[in-house]
Amino acid sequence: MTEIRDALVVGVSGIAGSAVANHLHREGVPVVGLSRGRVHGLTDVDQRRADLEDRASIAEALGDRSPSHVYITVWKRHNTEAENIRVNGLMIRNLMDVLGERGGVEHVSLLTGLKHYIGSPNQQGEIAPSSDTPFDERAPRLPVENFYYAQEDAVFDAAERQGFTWSVHRSHTIVGASVGNAMNMFLTIAVYAAICRELGKPFIFPGSEVRWNALGDVTDSRILAAQMIWASTTPAARNEAFNTVNGDFFRWRTMWPRIAEMLGVEPEGFNGEVRPMQTLLADAAPIWKRIAEKHNLIEDDLDRVASPWHTDGDLGRKIEIHADSGKARELGFTDFVRSERSFRDLFAHYSAAGVIPPVPVTGSPLWREF
């Protein structure tokens, strides 16, 4: 195992970045975290603000730090894939150029996702996935634009010039704790459940028939953090891409009633048509504000706790999507968590933290905290 002398987490305010930073801190590693904002609950992490589109901003934020291990968990959303490619590729190139001037980088772990295999949201359904499910890391890139490829290429090019090793981590929907994140499906679901409970309405599954019936999986942020750190310190994992999922499969038609029980609402499944979360939450801002005031929650702005567009993009897909995680296991990464446990732990955490109202479920003390 390679020792981590000094770690840099890029995107530390997000679900994945905060999980990586917390994991590193528990292992006694000094951590600097870069983000556009600041995240609560990371009091022992040196958080610094930086605009990754501006090299001078990155250099100023880093000061005299010269990290040995870098964990990139950031992206910036734009309206077109061409703009996603331009901006997200630029951010990684700027970061790597600034780090290259300092020297000392030994490994870069990059977070991407399963859109590597199915394309960007506007391409899904128009093109065939690059392989059958479960997706395998050996599948070739799709012959279409994809900002994940641009991020990978920026890391690969820098690695060739600067001599560090890399790993790529392809997650599915991430289950983890964060507020104000642009892609937070499970906080969105928990918030929607609280609104249903307040109004006495059923907890409607907002997705497609395929997602209701087909096999799926998710990625616990604690699994993701552990794998990114494992790959950065394990020689056998150098210069490899890994699917990063919990390791189990489930169907939403089974899981949705279980989630409803955790959140204290009555479930209603797929009824023959997609009922998008954006529609279900369209007029819910004042209701959430009322709930937040009643329970003294930490955030009363619905837009800060719910990202319905992202939930619709995930659950509205009309293709089966899940990934094989055997490659990492063969090389020695054996962490596993059942997805139902991920949900239970997360909802209990959010309730205890005052992000959502009290819920019936309790978390498990047997694994890492969020």
Side-chain angles (χ1 to χ4, degrees), residues 139-270:
R141 287 183 175 183
L142 291 164
V144 294
E145 293 183 325
N146 190 318
F147 81 89
Y148 284 161
Y149 304 161
Q151 289 185 312
E152 285 183 344
D153 287 342
V155 170
F156 298 161
D157 291 346
E160 187 172 351
R161 295 193 312 272
Q162 299 173 26
F164 59 79
T165 58
W166 53 264
S167 57
V168 174
H169 303 267
R170 298 170 185 161
S171 71
H172 198 174
T173 308
I174 301 175
V175 184
S178 180
V179 175
N181 187 271
M183 298 191 299
N184 199 332
M185 181 166 128
F186 295 100
L187 179 53
T188 301
I189 286 172
V191 166
Y192 169 57
I195 291 169
C196 291
R197 193 165 63 246
E198 178 76 8
L199 299 178
K201 291 187 174 182
F203 181 57
I204 295 170
F205 179 73
S208 69
E209 183 175 13
V210 171
R211 295 287 278 141
W212 181 248
N213 290 315
L215 286 173
D217 55 14
V218 293
T219 304
D220 190 300
S221 64
R222 299 166 294 186
I223 290 282
L224 174 59
Q227 194 198 77
M228 292 183 78
I229 295 165
W230 163 82
S232 74
T233 59
T234 302
R238 292 171 180 165
N239 302 334
E240 296 285 352
F242 298 101
N243 293 330
T244 313
V245 289
N246 288 353
D248 67 338
F249 301 119
F250 63 88
R251 301 182 198 276
W252 280 107
R253 69 188 187 207
T254 301
M255 191 64 73
W256 194 252
R258 294 177 183 175
I259 288 176
E261 182 180 5
M262 296 174 202
L263 297 173
V265 287
E266 289 297 319
E268 182 174 313
F270 181 78

Side-chain angles (χ1 to χ4, degrees), residues 32-110:
V32 166
L34 295 187
S35 65
R36 292 189 294 270
R38 186 173 179 83
V39 61
H40 300 291
L42 287 176
T43 55
D44 297 308
V45 173
D46 184 357
Q47 296 184 64
R48 304 182 184 185
R49 293 187 179 186
D51 178 0
L52 297 186
E53 295 180 59
D54 182 350
R55 288 182 57 182
S57 174
I58 300 169
E60 180 179 1
L62 287 177
D64 62 355
R65 299 294 285 264
S66 180
S68 62
H69 290 69
V70 181
Y71 305 89
I72 302 174
T73 66
V74 68
W75 80 290
K76 199 170 184 180
R77 183 189 179 210
H78 290 271
N79 291 330
T80 67
E81 193 64 12
E83 190 66 1
N84 281 334
I85 289 169
R86 185 189 71 79
V87 172
N88 288 284
L90 173 66
M91 292 195 302
I92 305 303
R93 289 195 301 273
N94 283 344
L95 174 68
M96 300 318 305
D97 285 348
V98 171
L99 292 172
E101 292 170 355
R102 296 158 189 256
V105 173
E106 298 175 19
H107 187 92
V108 173
S109 295
L110 172 68

